[in-house]
């Protein structure tokens, strides 16, 4: 089996498979991505819902507090009473339009907690509140100057960082020592502001009260939705998950769900809360999904099955083609073997015919010539024809072996001219009968390395052609000479020759220049093909030289190559 | 009842006695039903004139007696139970038993909710009337223990359940059980204390039961103190039933709640600090909130005041106003009392008129805060200094026990001596610390257990 | 000289035997490879002609086996397999030459003579090389199986050489027919009298200037033949 076709066949199977596989994987990945995005979308929806709940809570807290604050009297006792009764605030404050606190007043006698409040909050509202003194809004647009107004150099206290504050619709938020402080603020008619500091723990407890607990978390879960989508990649088989609320440092404030991770991890989806709690985040976590059988089953199994079936189909097809090819190849080989076999089979009887004819000729040839010349002639005919048969069989065998053993031939030292002469001798009788006289001028008398059988076969084919096709020629001229590392043998006759445009075609196998009955039914069309093959194997060539009306063939044999071959 | 001073007071006593039928003092009965008794006075009702000095003021409120158990106010209780992994085994079994037993004591008018917390919080039994005890008991029975400790979430959910049926005429209580360190959500003493401080404003107290040796006693104590609840150190799971019983005993005997105490001082008197219970101190006034008063049980606040030099004679130095929700009558009652001191030149009179009871309370509270200091020293590893401090505390208490003829002080002194010995052992410190915190809480809050 | 011929086709074998005997060789034959090996050991021939495709043991293996014991004995392969590789293989086994079927008689004779020359050149020291001798216009090189007449070279068979040698060695004397037979055919062969005459006739055609009037090989009627200077 030759490698080329096998390779081609393998490629035929592999390439489409690879292509399909690649596309399939792309598709599977895209599908996974779509599912991931859907999942993400779902989760983001949930988180958004939670964030909204929290926003509503903070908004309503503010609204309630402001309503209540606007009701109270502005004397310290009333304000204290308010603080004692209002669990959602730590402290209440009153500012004049310049931002100076009226209550708790720095100059007045204060309780410990009031004093602490002043320390905490005073530097904060100076800036943004001053600039907003002309505004009075409950739900107005954000105070433009108040955004991100750092109070760096004016900050007091022991924190490492200066409190930074933001002020929009009625909130003031700042972080200190990684704790957030939240104030509600409301402008008063007639100037000044009233506000309160939010008790964070209470606010968180209220938020927690609004969020689902483990029991109600089930209705919040994203898992059932996903499982019904038959996704594989991101939801592990036990479908546990967790929603969590974290503060600005990432510390969990509250969580619900069936998953309790012990190590820090990256959330699958996360988002910040709305202002004023935007330093807090909501996150959604799932355990790392275990890759494995489940994934395979869900997504890749159909893909693999598809690929496998296509692959099998292709392989079947390829196998079929291969088998056919192989069958053809075997048949061809068998045919060749058959031809070889037949030729070998023919050789034994042929050997005997030739040998015994010659022996007989030796024995009684002379006598027969004297006694019965005609009988002798019959004997000669037998001898000639058996030789011709030999040559034909040799040609056929040589032709059938064309594609093998391209470069090997056997050379031995011999005298070129002798080989040429003995070949000519074989043809002389039959030529002479047709009135053709072979004339040989040889200059290759020195021993040279060459393959005598090849030379003999080539020359034999040429002379045979002359016999068959060179009608009208009286002689055939053969010359041999050595030029550098080549032997050149010319065979020329005066026959009709071969047309110029058929110069190359004449060497093609099975090409007989004329099928016309009268142009000689003899010839298989392989003679010149073989002759050229043999010449080329010998490192030379056989060409037809353009001539006028003559047929002129030139054979070159490479002696240098053969010399090295003989030496090696 | 008004405090009667001795010498010129006899007359007043007679007068007062004469007035009794008209004023209705001396008994708890009033046209408006039983009343809380207000007891305000100085450790030194007689002071030296002509010099500025410091003295103590005690304001005590005592719940009236609950005649019949059936007279009690309905309760609104949220049981917040730790079901973290460390509770598994005997602890959770005992906890379930104790909770179930406690619920058996409640009646149809009561409202109960059960919240469990581990890694997450779960409202096991949403706030509901006790019409179907069996299902609640069954729900509690189904509890499993596993996971972390989201204590804050549990308390938040418990408070949310309470709020559903919260009314002034009900006793609102969260009973929190924990055996370990809170590790999810806010978990420091200050944070939980701030929550407690917020809860008490809406009349919710949190009683904290710490089980075993691994709970955070600072957190549990502070949460209780700030919300005016009880705190217990439950050493063994078998004791849970007892403590639940004690707690429920308190809750079911509440007669007044949201007791707001305001003390206003006259010119020349300044409040310096409060001892024991936390009090808001202003320039000339003080304010405190006591959440619940139990039948026949007194809670008090103690202030140290600075008095300017006065001329001899009786001077009204201040006034106490107490408002509270009367759970019997479901009305808000108000009590008022004057704070007067007689100034004399006679030091013997001053000495012989010392109010031992108030003085004792002062000593007790001072000793308590010393005990807290000793705890801090021991935390810092200064074992010897802590021990020394406790020994000094012992001496202080024993001295005053003799002076004031107070057996309680003696007992307290002894306990300080014991503690001094026991805090040396490092492996024992966890236990000792819990013991000390519990003791501190009991002293400052006047818990019954 | 003794030749072993191994060939499975009986007719080809027969033909080869005739050619060789006509040349003047003593022939031992075998029809298969096993027989060939047995005969080789028994007869110890001077060279061997082997067919390749033989039953029992093929020609290559026979060659190998022979080479184990006698690396120097010349071997000619006769075969119908004319593939190049086979040729090479044959020669690599140490064969001296290759004859491809179908072959002509002349081809066989030429190859055998070539081998014989080599044999004679490398023969045992026991037998000294024989120099060229002159018989009239004919120069005979016995070990080269050649004769030279002026500028023409004549190929001679072994028998030819033997006949010429005995004539030359006994110059002037008559060699009886029996003696001729003995010299040319060996004592074992008693062919009919015609073969001698035929052979002489053939030989005369080769070496005599006028075969009808021989000068080198003269007939002595009733006695035999004689060479006279």
């Amino acid at each position: 089996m030759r490698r080329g076709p096998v390779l081609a066949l393998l490629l035929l199977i592999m390439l489409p498979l690879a292509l399909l596989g690649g596309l399939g994987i792309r598709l599977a990945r895209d599908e996974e991505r779509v599912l991931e995005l859907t999942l993400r979308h779902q989760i983001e929806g949930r988180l958004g819902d939670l964030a909204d709940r929290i926003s509503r809570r903070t908004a309503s807290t503010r609204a309630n507090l402001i309503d209540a604050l606007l009701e109270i009297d502005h004397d310290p006792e009333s304000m204290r009473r308010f603080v004692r009764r209002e669990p959602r605030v730590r402290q209440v404050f009153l500012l004049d339009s310049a931002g100076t606190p009226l209550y708790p007043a720095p100059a007045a006698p204060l309780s410990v907690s009031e004093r602490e409040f002043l320390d905490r909050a005073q530097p904060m509202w100076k800036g943004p509140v001053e600039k907003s003194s002309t505004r009075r809004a409950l739900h107005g647009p954000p105070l433009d100057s108040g955004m991100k107004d750092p109070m760096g150099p004016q900050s007091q206290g022991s924190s490492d960082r200066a409190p930074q504050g933001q002020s929009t619709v009625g909130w003031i938020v700042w972080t200190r020592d990684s704790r957030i402080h939240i104030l509600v603020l409301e402008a008063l008619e007639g100037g000044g502001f009233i506000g309160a500091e939010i008790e964070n723990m209470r606010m968180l407890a209220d938020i927690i009260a609004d969020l689902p607990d483990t029991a109600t978390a089930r209705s919040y879960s994203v898992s059932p939705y996903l499982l019904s989508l038959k996704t594989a990649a991101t939801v592990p088989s036990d479908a546990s998950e967790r929603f969590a609320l974290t503060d600005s440092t990432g510390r969990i404030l509250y969580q619900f769900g069936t998953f309790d991770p012990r190590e820090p991890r990256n959330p699958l989806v996360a988002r910040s809360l709305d202002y004023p709690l935007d330093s807090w985040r909501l996150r959604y976590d799932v355990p790392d999904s275990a890759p494995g059988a489940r994934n395979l089953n869900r997504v890749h199994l159909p893909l693999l099955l598809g690929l496998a079936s296509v692959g099998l189909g292709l392989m079947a097809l390829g196998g079929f083609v291969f088998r056919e090819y192989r069958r053809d190849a075997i048949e061809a080989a068998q045919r060749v073997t058959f031809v070889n076999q037949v030729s070998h089979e023919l050789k034994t009887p042929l050997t005997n015919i030739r040998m015994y004819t010659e022996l007989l000729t030796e024995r009684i040839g002379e006598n027969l010539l004297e006694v019965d010349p005609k009988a002798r002639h019959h004997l000669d005919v037998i001898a000639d024809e058996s030789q011709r048969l030999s040559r034909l069989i040799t040609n056929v065998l040589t032709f059938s072996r064309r594609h093998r053993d391209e470069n090997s031939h056997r050379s031995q030292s011999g005298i070129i001219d002798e080989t040429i002469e003995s070949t000519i001798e074989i043809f002389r009788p039959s030529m002479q009968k047709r009135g053709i006289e072979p004339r040989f001028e040889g200059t290759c008398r020195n021993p040279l390395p060459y393959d005598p059988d090849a030379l003999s076969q080539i020359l034999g084919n040429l002379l045979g052609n002359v016999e068959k096709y060179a009608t009208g020629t009286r002689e055939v001229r053969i010359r041999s000479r050595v030029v550098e590392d080549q032997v050149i043998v010319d065979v020329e006759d005066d026959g009709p020759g071969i047309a110029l445009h058929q110069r190359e075609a004449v060497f093609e196998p099975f090409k007989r220049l004329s099928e016309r009955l009268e142009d000689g039914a003899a010839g298989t069309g392989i003679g010149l093909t073989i002759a050229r093959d043999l010449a080329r194997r010998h490192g030379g060539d056989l060409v037809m030289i353009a001539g006028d009306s003559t047929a002129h063939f030139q054979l070159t044999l490479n002696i240098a190559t053969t010399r090295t071959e003989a030496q090696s | 009842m008004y405090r009667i001073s001795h010498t010129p007071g006899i007359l007043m006593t007679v007068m007062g006695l004469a007035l009794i039928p008209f004023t209705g003092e001396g008994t708890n009965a009033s046209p408006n039903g039983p009343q809380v008794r207000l007891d305000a006075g100085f450790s030194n009702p007689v002071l030296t004139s002509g010099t500025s000095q410091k003295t103590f003021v005690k304001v005590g409120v005592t719940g009236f007696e609950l005649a019949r158990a059936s007279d009690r106010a309905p309760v609104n209780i949220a049981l917040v139970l730790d079901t973290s992994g460390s509770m598994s085994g005997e602890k959770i079994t005992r906890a379930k038993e104790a909770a179930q037993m406690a619920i058996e004591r409640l009646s149809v008018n009561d409202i109960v909710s059960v919240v469990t917390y581990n890694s997450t919080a779960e409202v096991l039994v949403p706030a509901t009337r006790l019409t179907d005890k069996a299902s609640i008991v069954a729900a509690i029975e189904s509890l499993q223990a596993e996971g972390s400790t989201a204590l804050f979430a549990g308390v938040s959910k418990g408070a949310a359940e309470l709020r559903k049926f919260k009314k002034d005429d009900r006793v609102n209580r969260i009973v929190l059980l924990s055996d370990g360190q809170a590790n999810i959500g806010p978990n420091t003493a200050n944070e939980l204390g701030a929550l407690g401080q917020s809860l008490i404003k809406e009349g919710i107290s949190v009683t904290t039961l710490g089980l075993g040796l691994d709970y955070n006693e600072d957190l549990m104590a502070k949460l209780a103190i700030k919300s005016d609840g009880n705190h217990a150190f439950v050493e063994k799971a078998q004791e849970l039933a007892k403590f639940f019983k004690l707690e429920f005993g308190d809750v079911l005997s509440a007669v007044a709640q949201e007791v707001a105490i305001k003390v206003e001082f006259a010119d020349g008197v300044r409040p310096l600090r409060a001892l024991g219970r936390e009090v808001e101190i202003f320039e000339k006034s003080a304010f405190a909130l006591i959440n619940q008063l139990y039948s026949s049980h007194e809670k008090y606040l103690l202030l140290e005041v600075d008095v300017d030099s006065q001329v001899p004679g009786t001077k009204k130095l201040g006034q106490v106003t107490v408002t509270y929700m009367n759970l019997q009558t479901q009305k808000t009652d108000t009590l008022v009392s004057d704070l007067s001191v007689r100034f004399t030149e006679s030091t013997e009179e001053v000495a012989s008129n010392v109010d031992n009871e108030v003085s004792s309370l002062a000593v007790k509270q001072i000793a308590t805060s010393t005990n807290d200091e000793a705890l801090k020293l021991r935390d810092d590893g200064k074992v010897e200094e802590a021990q020394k401090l406790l020994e000094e505390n012992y001496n202080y208490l024993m001295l005053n026990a003799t002076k004031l003829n107070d057996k309680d002080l003696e007992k307290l002194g002894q306990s300080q001596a014991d503690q001094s010995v026991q805090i040396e052992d490092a492996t024992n410190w966890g236990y000792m610390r819990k013991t000390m915190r519990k003791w501190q809480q009991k002293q400052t809050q006047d818990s019954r257990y | 000289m003794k030749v072993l011929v191994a060939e499975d086709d009986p007719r080809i074998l027969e033909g080869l035997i005739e050619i060789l005997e006509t040349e003047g060789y003593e022939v031992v034959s075998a029809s298969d490879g096993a027989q060939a090996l047995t005969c080789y050991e028994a007869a110890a021939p001077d060279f061997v002609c082997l067919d390749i495709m033989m039953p029992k043991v093929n020609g290559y293996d026979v060659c190998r086996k022979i080479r184990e014991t006698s690396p120097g004995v010349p071997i000619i392969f006769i075969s119908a397999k004319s593939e190049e590789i086979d040729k090479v293989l044959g020669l690599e086994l140490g064969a001296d030459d290759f004859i491809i079927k179908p072959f002509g008689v002349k081809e066989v004779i030429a190859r055998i003579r070539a081998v014989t020359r080599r044999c004679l050149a490398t023969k045992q020291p026991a037998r000294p090389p024989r120099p060229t001798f002159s018989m009239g216009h004919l120069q005979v090189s016995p070990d080269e199986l050649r004769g030279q007449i002026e500028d023409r070279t004549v190929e001679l068979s072994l028998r030819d050489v033997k006949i010429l040698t005995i004539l030359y060695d006994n110059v002037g004397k008559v060699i009886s027919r029996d003696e001729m037979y003995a010299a040319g055919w060996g004592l074992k062969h008693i062919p009919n009298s015609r073969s001698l005459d035929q052979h002489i006739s053939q030989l005369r055609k080769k070496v005599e200037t006028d075969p009808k009037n021989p000068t080198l090989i003269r007939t002595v009627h009733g006695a035999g033949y004689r060479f006279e200077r």
Side-chain angles (χ1 to χ4, degrees), chain A residues 93-102 121-136 143-147 149 151 154 165-168 170-174 183-188 191-195:
Chain A
F93 60 88
L94 190 65
L95 309 175
D96 67 7
S97 35
T100 323
L102 297 171
Q122 188 166 21
M124 189 42 242
W125 52 56
K126 257 209 143 73
V129 167
E130 262 176 1
K131 289 171 187 135
S132 69
S133 60
T134 52
R135 285 189 173 271
R136 32 178 287 119
L143 307 168
D144 51 359
S145 57
M147 302 298 272
D149 194 1
M151 309 306 294
Q154 297 171 21
Q166 277 183 310
S167 162
T168 48
W171 297 97
I172 300 178
V173 183
W174 79 96
L183 307 180
V184 292
L185 187 71
E186 184 63 13
L188 291 165
F193 302 89
I194 191 161

Side-chain angles (χ1 to χ4, degrees), chain A residues 84 89 202 211 213-214 260, chain B residues 119-120 123 148 157 202 287:
Chain A
R84 284 177 202 141
V89 307
R202 174 47 189 262
L211 295 178
D213 70 342
T214 302
D260 182 28
Chain B
S119 307
T120 62
V123 179
S148 319
K157 288 291 188 190
E202 48 183 332
F287 178 85

Side-chain angles (χ1 to χ4, degrees), chain A residues 409-437:
Chain A
H409 65 279
R410 168 187 154 228
S411 29
Q412 61 189 45
S413 189
I415 299 174
I416 302 261
D417 282 355
E418 284 183 4
T419 309
I420 297 177
E421 275 164 357
S422 50
T423 311
I424 292 173
E425 281 314 307
I426 295 167
F427 283 87
R428 189 183 291 276
S430 52
M431 275 190 177
Q432 280 171 340
K433 284 196 182 68
R434 286 173 214 245
I436 307 174
E437 183 65 34

Side-chain angles (χ1 to χ4, degrees), chain A residues 77 80 83-84 86-87 89 109 111 199 201-202 204-206 208-209 211 213-214 251-255 260, chain B residues 119-123 148 152-153 156-157 160 163 184-186 191 194 198 201-202 262 280-283 287:
Chain A
E77 198 49 41
R80 284 176 191 143
V83 172
R84 284 177 202 141
E86 179 48 67
V89 307
S111 71
E199 171 53 64
M201 291 296 115
R202 174 47 189 262
L204 177 59
D206 285 346
I208 289 173
L211 295 178
D213 70 342
T214 302
R251 177 177 79 142
I252 305 244
L253 297 170
Y254 179 68
Q255 65 182 25
D260 182 28
Chain B
S119 307
T120 62
E122 178 169 353
V123 179
S148 319
F152 191 91
S156 301
K157 288 291 188 190
R163 283 187 207 111
I184 293 179
E191 287 170 318
S198 162
K201 291 184 187 177
E202 48 183 332
K262 182 146 54 151
E280 268 184 76
I281 309 276
F282 302 97
E283 194 189 13
F287 178 85

Side-chain angles (χ1 to χ4, degrees), chain A residues 53-353:
Chain A
R53 282 196 204 186
I54 296 171
S55 291
R56 280 198 293 276
R57 165 65 66 175
T58 52
S60 77
T61 299
R62 183 183 181 281
N64 291 344
L65 286 177
I66 296 296
D67 285 346
L69 282 170
L70 290 173
E71 296 291 315
I72 59 178
D73 297 325
H74 295 175
D75 59 283
E77 198 49 41
S78 306
M79 309 204 95
R80 284 176 191 143
R81 257 206 298 279
F82 182 81
V83 172
R84 284 177 202 141
R85 291 292 162 186
E86 179 48 67
R88 290 175 291 188
V89 307
R90 266 191 215 148
Q91 191 55 250
V92 164
F93 60 88
L94 190 65
L95 309 175
D96 67 7
S97 35
T100 323
L102 297 171
Y103 169 80
L110 299 172
S111 71
V112 170
S113 59
E114 285 169 337
R115 181 69 54 192
E116 282 175 350
F117 169 75
L118 273 187
D119 288 342
R120 274 200 304 273
Q122 188 166 21
M124 189 42 242
W125 52 56
K126 257 209 143 73
V129 167
E130 262 176 1
K131 289 171 187 135
S132 69
S133 60
T134 52
R135 285 189 173 271
R136 32 178 287 119
L138 213 59
H139 302 292
L143 307 168
D144 51 359
S145 57
M147 302 298 272
K148 296 190 183 69
D149 194 1
M151 309 306 294
Q154 297 171 21
S155 76
Q156 58 183 125
S158 55
S159 68
D160 342 331
R161 285 180 355 186
Q164 291 191 357
Q166 277 183 310
S167 162
T168 48
V169 194
W171 297 97
I172 300 178
V173 183
W174 79 96
T175 351
R176 185 167 146 161
D177 299 331
S178 72
R179 289 257 156 78
I180 59 167
H181 298 268
I182 304 174
L183 307 180
V184 292
L185 187 71
E186 184 63 13
L188 291 165
E189 280 185 33
F193 302 89
I194 191 161
E197 186 188 14
I198 299 282
E199 171 53 64
N200 291 355
M201 291 296 115
R202 174 47 189 262
M203 188 181 61
L204 177 59
D206 285 346
I207 288 171
I208 289 173
D210 286 338
L211 295 178
D213 70 342
T214 302
T216 51
R218 266 173 230 122
S219 68
Y220 227 73
S221 164
V222 188
S223 312
Y225 175 76
L226 293 165
L227 290 175
S228 74
L229 277 187
K230 292 190 181 55
T231 188
T234 41
V235 178
S237 51
D238 65 355
S240 66
E241 58 181 356
R242 178 193 70 174
F243 292 86
L245 174 67
T246 63
D247 69 5
S248 58
T249 65
R251 177 177 79 142
I252 305 244
L253 297 170
Y254 179 68
Q255 65 182 25
F256 64 94
T258 47
F259 175 44
D260 182 28
R262 301 300 173 122
E263 326 79 26
R265 63 200 298 111
N266 289 327
L268 194 64
V269 184
R271 61 161 285 168
S272 304
L273 294 181
D274 299 328
Y275 186 81
L277 294 174
D278 51 335
S279 60
W280 288 6
R281 289 166 72 76
L282 284 167
R283 58 185 280 172
Y284 177 84
D285 293 272
V286 282
D288 299 325
S289 56
R294 196 181 151 83
N295 288 352
L296 207 61
N297 288 345
R298 279 293 162 85
V299 176
H300 296 143
L301 192 63
L303 178 68
L304 280 179
L305 279 178
L307 275 181
S309 56
V310 169
L312 278 173
L314 281 177
M315 281 206 287
L317 199 66
F320 179 73
V321 170
F322 181 78
R323 214 168 46 130
E324 288 304 306
Y325 179 88
R326 200 119 184 270
R327 203 181 288 164
D328 282 351
I330 289 173
E331 252 186 63
Q334 280 175 343
R335 240 179 275 131
V336 169
T337 314
F338 174 70
V339 167
N340 285 348
Q341 231 16 62
V342 164
S343 303
H344 285 138
E345 285 301 302
L346 290 174
K347 279 187 178 181
T348 303
L350 199 55
T351 307
N352 281 328
I353 291 172

Side-chain angles (χ1 to χ4, degrees), chain C residues 84-160:
Chain C
E84 266 54 64
I85 288 177
D86 295 303
K87 279 200 221 171
V88 168
L89 184 58
L91 291 176
E92 273 179 4
L93 284 172
D96 288 73
D97 212 339
F98 225 98
I99 303 175
I100 299 172
K101 298 179 198 168
F103 47 76
V105 173
K106 292 192 178 64
E107 216 183 308
V108 175
I109 290 176
R111 296 227 154 116
I112 288 178
R113 282 186 188 168
V115 168
T116 306
R117 284 185 197 114
R118 288 201 284 279
C119 270
L120 292 172
T122 62
K123 222 36 171 142
Q124 316 85 304
R127 188 183 165 290
R130 291 187 301 176
T132 314
F133 58 86
S134 299
M135 294 173 75
H137 58 268
L138 177 70
Q139 307 280 90
V140 180
S141 308
D143 284 348
E144 285 171 38
L145 302 177
R146 279 199 188 99
Q148 192 84 18
I149 300 175
E150 284 167 20
D151 58 351
R152 195 162 57 95
T153 312
V154 176
E155 299 272 322
L156 299 171
S157 75
L158 195 62
R159 192 163 286 161
D160 296 340

